[in-house]
Amino acid sequence: METIDARSMINAAATATAVAAEGAAPRRERRQRLSPAALAVANEKVRPAYSPIVISGVVRIADFVVIAAVGTTLYLGYVARLDGFSWGYLLAIFAVAAVAIVCFQAADAYDAEVFRGQLRQLTRMISSWTFVFLLFIAVSFLAKQVGDVSRLWLSTFYLCGLGLLTGERLLLRLVVRRWARAGRLDRRTIIVGADENGEKLIHALDDEADTNIRVLGVFDDRGDERSLATCAGRPKLGKVDDIVEFARRTRIDLVLFALPISAETRLLEMLKKLWVLPVDVRLSAHTNKLRFRPRAYSYLGKVPTLDVFERPITDWDMVMKWCFDRVVGALALIVASPLLLLTAIAVKLDSKGPVLFRQKRFGFNNERIDVFKFRSLYHEQADPTASKVVTKNDPRVTRVGRFIRKTSLDELPQLFNVVFKGNLSLVGPRPHAVQGKLQNRLFDEAVDGYFARHRVKPGITGWAQVNGWRGEVDSEEKIQRRVEYDLYYIENWSVLFDVAILLKTPLALVRAVNAY
């Protein structure tokens, strides 16, 4: 059977879905009732997940550091004291460490699932470590350097390195097994399709012991009479329309469709509803008769799937963004502390009331978060929900308030959200107030797909703001353009992109014309 490039096919479908979402996404995503079964699952205590990719990367770094430290310590403590210092030994030590990492990788010793099994990981690690030293001896022999290498140092390096690596793996096994029991390694998954295909998919996933897939239940777009009440022992939690609310009440990592690709119309209708969520969305290909190129598939164990939407900023990207926010945010807070103090004094002297106030805004995945700001309105006319938009010459704004709103100094306390609370980033889509309105319509009623901008953590500044889309929202174009720029940022994020936005922010503040 002729193969087809599924990547281009799925990407085209995803693009069509996003475009079609402008007319088909939910107009208003209010909190809705879930079934008792869904509520029972949603109310379970769930901790944040740890990324297996990050765990494996940290173990690689730890292995390299342990090997290099052991070899260097033994060399400086024994060989260098007798024969004098030589850079050749240090180069050899770091070469051994680098080759060891490569050999461990080749032996699948960095598979996160291997960390749970004592015998498997020790066997792979010991055999690879032994091979590295045999390779080192062979290279030294061919280079006629065997006589220059201390045999005592080499044998001690091998034994001490083996002992420390073994101890590290045993400790790692205990930690990983504890995380597994706490659900930190689970990929919490929901299946779409409560029928025979759904049952086959769940059975196939259950047969895979090393996928960390935990199927919470199934959803279906059809009525109860056309779908199963339970699917391979998993309860039906609701209809596809309920998934958005369910995913905002509990952690969901993966939405897996059990529908055949031939059900194109049904798939597109359901994808239009789910693309706003910060989760991975895949199509199961285990029952499809149509065969794609092998590289087109992503695998859950041996179960082939086709990627449709991927959660943005995950794994090491998330680590880099977290570090960037904390480090740069802390430095910015220190540098801005005199300005924060002067602004606080000005606000206090200008009008009675507290210096700071907290406002409810949309955070990651539509979570309601408290955002700190300098008070810019008269205290008795405060509007914590921003139900009434601040306009030009608004009488509610104080004299100092007009200046700090124009210059965005009122946003500076949000550095506390970044550094201490962690519910904001330095850069990201601006967190709009939960009652933010365009005329008499809430923002998500004015722009379809509005909630897709909440697939990442909001930020103090963003791509939309540095391109002039900040301040008062008095036309549909302004909120639409904000969402367009926010979605562009999400799809093209990088640390350098964040740096560029931060550098452009001061100039954007100077040029601002619609911030009141």
Side-chain angles (χ1 to χ4, degrees):
M1 183 178 293
E2 185 179 358
T3 61
I4 299 175
D5 187 352
R7 287 291 182 195
S8 59
M9 182 180 186
I10 294 301
N11 289 337
T15 303
T17 297
V19 172
E22 294 183 3
R27 297 293 301 179
R28 178 76 177 118
E29 297 176 283
R30 298 182 178 90
R31 295 183 72 85
Q32 60 196 63
R33 285 186 179 179
L34 297 177
S35 67
L39 284 174
V41 175
N43 290 333
E44 294 176 356
K45 185 178 180 180
V46 180
R47 295 182 176 182
Y50 292 143
S51 167
I53 294 175
V54 175
I55 294 173
S56 298
V58 171
V59 174
R60 289 185 182 91
I61 296 172
D63 284 350
F64 185 89
V65 170
V66 166
I67 294 170
V70 169
T72 303
T73 301
L74 292 174
Y75 167 70
L76 295 176
Y78 174 68
V79 179
R81 293 176 61 186
L82 297 178
D83 301 333
F85 181 80
S86 171
W87 286 106
Y89 261 98
L90 290 182
L91 291 175
I93 291 168
F94 283 95
V96 167
V99 172
I101 303 305
V102 173
C103 290
F104 292 167
Q105 179 67 46
D108 290 329
Y110 291 122
D111 187 338
E113 287 302 318
V114 175
F115 297 153
R116 298 191 196 186
Q118 181 174 341
L119 181 61
R120 280 191 301 169
Q121 69 167 316
L122 288 181
T123 301
R124 295 180 184 185
M125 187 270 295
I126 293 172
S127 59
S128 299
W129 182 241
T130 303
F131 173 78
V132 169
F133 272 81
L134 292 176
L135 180 64
F136 178 79
I137 293 172
V139 171
S140 299
F141 174 78
L142 294 175
K144 298 182 179 180
Q145 299 293 324
V146 176
D148 297 331
V149 177
S150 170
R151 286 172 289 181
L152 178 60
W153 169 81
L154 186 62
S155 57
T156 307
F157 186 12
Y158 171 78
L159 294 175
C160 290
L162 181 61
L164 286 175
L165 289 172
T166 300
E168 178 194 350
R169 286 300 192 277
L170 293 176
L171 177 61
L172 178 64
R173 177 176 179 268
L174 293 175
V175 173
V176 170
R177 288 170 70 90
R178 179 179 298 176
W179 287 342
R181 287 193 298 269
R184 293 294 187 99
L185 302 179
D186 289 345
R187 294 197 68 185
R188 292 168 60 85
T189 303
I190 56 176
I191 305 295
V192 178
D195 53 18
E196 291 183 1
N197 287 331
E199 286 192 319
K200 291 179 181 178
L201 175 57
I202 293 175
H203 286 310
L205 293 173
D206 288 342
D207 291 340
E208 300 294 332
D210 297 335
T211 60
N212 289 326
I213 295 293
R214 182 188 172 193
V215 178
L216 303 178
V218 294
F219 289 80
D220 203 294
D221 60 323
R222 298 167 296 183
D224 293 337
E225 68 279 359
R226 291 186 296 163
S227 60
L228 302 174
T230 59
C231 192
R234 268 65 167 197
K236 181 181 176 182
L237 301 179
K239 296 185 177 180
V240 174
D241 290 338
D242 301 323
I243 293 178
V244 171
E245 179 63 25
F246 181 76
R248 285 175 179 152
R249 294 193 181 209
T250 189
R251 194 191 93 216
I252 300 297
D253 303 307
L254 174 64
V255 177
L256 192 54
F257 281 80
L259 281 66
I261 295 178
S262 57
E264 179 181 355
T265 302
R266 287 177 63 201
L267 283 171
L268 288 178
E269 286 300 319
M270 288 184 280
L271 290 173
K272 291 170 188 176
K273 302 171 183 177
L274 303 182
W275 75 290
V276 299
L277 293 177
V279 300
D280 292 332
V281 178
R282 297 188 187 182
L283 305 181
S284 170
H286 73 294
T287 60
N288 290 327
K289 295 180 180 180
L290 189 62
R291 291 292 177 264
F292 299 138
R293 296 172 182 172
R295 291 185 179 181
Y297 294 113
S298 297
Y299 289 88
L300 302 173
K302 296 181 181 179
V303 178
T305 64
L306 296 170
D307 295 339
V308 181
F309 301 117
E310 295 182 354
R311 176 176 174 173
I313 311 182
T314 59
D315 302 324
W316 282 109
D317 287 344
M318 183 180 294
V319 173
M320 288 190 293
K321 189 165 180 62
W322 186 93
C323 293
F324 181 82
D325 286 339
R326 290 305 195 277
V327 174
V328 179
L331 293 174
L333 189 58
I334 294 172
V335 172
S337 56
L339 188 56
L340 283 164
L341 180 60
L342 291 175
T343 305
I345 294 173
V347 171
K348 190 65 176 177
L349 294 176
D350 184 53
S351 62
K352 65 180 181 179
V355 171
L356 299 177
F357 81 103
R358 291 184 297 180
Q359 189 176 68
K360 288 289 183 183
R361 297 198 176 190
F362 283 120
F364 172 71
N365 199 21
N366 253 30
E367 177 188 4
R368 273 61 168 175
I369 62 174
D370 288 324
V371 171
F372 295 108
K373 295 185 68 176
F374 280 123
R375 180 176 56 82
S376 57
L377 306 184
Y378 289 103
H379 180 54
E380 61 273 12
Q381 295 178 302
D383 186 12
T385 62
S387 57
K388 183 180 178 182
V389 177
V390 176
T391 58
K392 189 174 183 178
N393 299 321
D394 196 314
R396 298 175 298 162
V397 181
T398 66
R399 290 174 300 174
V400 170
R402 289 192 181 90
F403 176 76
I404 63 176
R405 292 179 69 89
K406 181 73 174 179
T407 57
S408 290
L409 290 176
D410 63 323
E411 310 283 358
L412 279 180
Q414 291 172 23
L415 288 170
F416 294 110
N417 287 91
V418 174
V419 177
F420 298 110
K421 296 181 71 68
N423 53 14
L424 283 185
S425 287
L426 287 174
V427 182
R430 284 292 297 144
H432 292 160
V434 295
Q435 294 297 321
K437 292 180 180 179
L438 170 64
Q439 299 170 356
N440 293 322
R441 293 181 296 168
L442 295 172
F443 286 156
D444 60 307
E445 294 174 334
V447 181
D448 292 311
Y450 169 82
F451 287 122
R453 66 193 299 276
H454 300 151
R455 288 183 293 160
V456 299
K457 197 180 297 184
I460 296 179
T461 185
W463 185 233
Q465 282 64 45
V466 300
N467 281 279
W469 301 105
R470 63 183 293 267
E472 182 184 6
V473 178
D474 55 5
S475 69
E476 191 168 314
E477 180 193 9
K478 288 183 178 180
I479 187 61
Q480 286 179 339
R481 295 290 282 173
R482 282 193 187 190
V483 173
E484 289 174 7
Y485 276 90
D486 289 338
L487 296 182
Y488 177 87
Y489 168 80
I490 292 171
E491 296 300 327
N492 296 276
W493 175 87
S494 69
V495 172
L496 292 179
F497 197 8
D498 277 1
V499 172
I501 292 173
L502 285 177
L503 294 177
K504 289 181 178 181
T505 296
L507 182 60
L509 295 178
V510 172
R511 295 185 304 182
V513 294
N514 61 336
Y516 309 125

